[in-house]
Amino acid sequence: MRSQKCTIVDYGTGNLNSIKRTLDRIGIGCIISSSANDIVNASKIILPGVGHFGKAMSNLNGLNLADVLNEEVLIKQKPVLGICLGMELMAKASEEGNARGLGWLAAGATRFDIGDSDRYKIPHMGWNEISIRKTSRLMEGIEDGSEFYFAHSYHLTLDDPADLLAETEYGTGFPSAIEKNNIFGVQYHPEKSHDVGARLLKNFVEM
C-alpha cells in the first residue's frame, strides 16, 4: 500500500489514538500533531473532536492552528476530514457556547430538538444507518444503509443542500456526512465503526 503523509490534528480534544490505531491496523501511516509544520507538510488532514464546540475553537485559536488550517484547506485545497465535533467546527457557528466556527461550510451546529424524548435519547449514541445522497470517493465500497457508530448531541444544519453527502434519521433527518470540494466530514465515528469505518478512513487517506 502506498504510504501517505497524513496528520491528525491534536488540539486537546478527540479520539486521536483510536483513529491512529485504526489507520495503523490497515497499514496507513498517520501522525498525531499540534505542530503547524506537520499540518503544512501533510497531504491529508484529519480534524477529530469530542467535547464542547466553544472550547475546541478556543484551543484551535490558542494553538494558532485556525489560520494554518484555513490556509491549507481553503487556499491550497488540501483534503480534510472532520470527525464528529471536527465536522461541526467547519460550520459558521454553533449553539453550543454561541461560538463561531471555522466557517468552511454555509451551516450551523444545532442541538437535537426531538419531541419524543422517551424514544430518542440525547445524546444520540449507538449504531445507526446512513443514507448516501450522492456519489463520492469517500463512500467507495460502502453500501447505502451501512451502520456507523454515533455519539453526539449537536448536528449540522446545511444552507446548501449540495453539501449533503449522507443523511441519518434520529427523530429527525440530519446530515451524517458532508462533502464540499476538498472538505469532507462525518458526524459518526469511523474509528469505532469496525470494518466499514476503516474503509471510509482508507478511502479518504488514499484519495
Side-chain angles (χ1 to χ4, degrees), residues 8 13-26 46-51 81-86 127 147-151 186-202:
I8 302 166
T13 182
N15 292 328
L16 309 176
N17 291 316
S18 296
I19 296 168
K20 188 175 189 308
R21 280 196 299 269
T22 299
L23 290 166
D24 287 345
R25 179 169 57 84
I26 58 178
I46 296 178
L47 186 64
V50 173
L81 174 66
I83 296 174
C84 197
L85 177 61
W127 296 87
E147 290 193 338
F148 288 85
Y149 187 84
F150 290 80
V186 292
Q187 187 66 71
Y188 44 81
H189 289 273
E191 75 280 8
K192 295 182 178 181
S193 300
H194 305 324
D195 289 347
V196 70
R199 177 59 189 261
L200 185 141
L201 290 171
K202 180 176 183 288

Side-chain angles (χ1 to χ4, degrees), residues 3 119 147:
S3 176
R119 182 177 179 187
E147 290 193 338

Side-chain angles (χ1 to χ4, degrees), residues 75-153:
I75 307 302
K76 296 183 182 177
Q77 299 281 295
K78 190 171 290 182
V80 61
L81 174 66
I83 296 174
C84 197
L85 177 61
M87 179 175 84
E88 295 170 21
L89 296 177
M90 297 173 173
K92 295 178 184 176
S94 174
E95 292 179 350
E96 187 175 31
N98 293 316
R100 294 180 59 186
L102 292 166
W104 298 345
L105 301 171
T110 306
R111 184 174 172 83
F112 275 110
D113 183 14
I114 301 172
D116 189 353
S117 59
D118 290 332
R119 182 177 179 187
Y120 299 103
K121 303 296 185 183
I122 307 303
H124 170 211
M125 295 190 68
W127 296 87
N128 207 337
E129 294 183 357
I130 66 166
S131 297
I132 300 172
R133 300 304 188 199
K134 64 181 178 181
T135 301
S136 170
R137 291 179 64 187
L138 190 67
M139 297 295 177
E140 284 183 4
I142 296 173
E143 294 183 2
D144 188 36
S146 292
E147 290 193 338
F148 288 85
Y149 187 84
F150 290 80
H152 63 120
S153 298

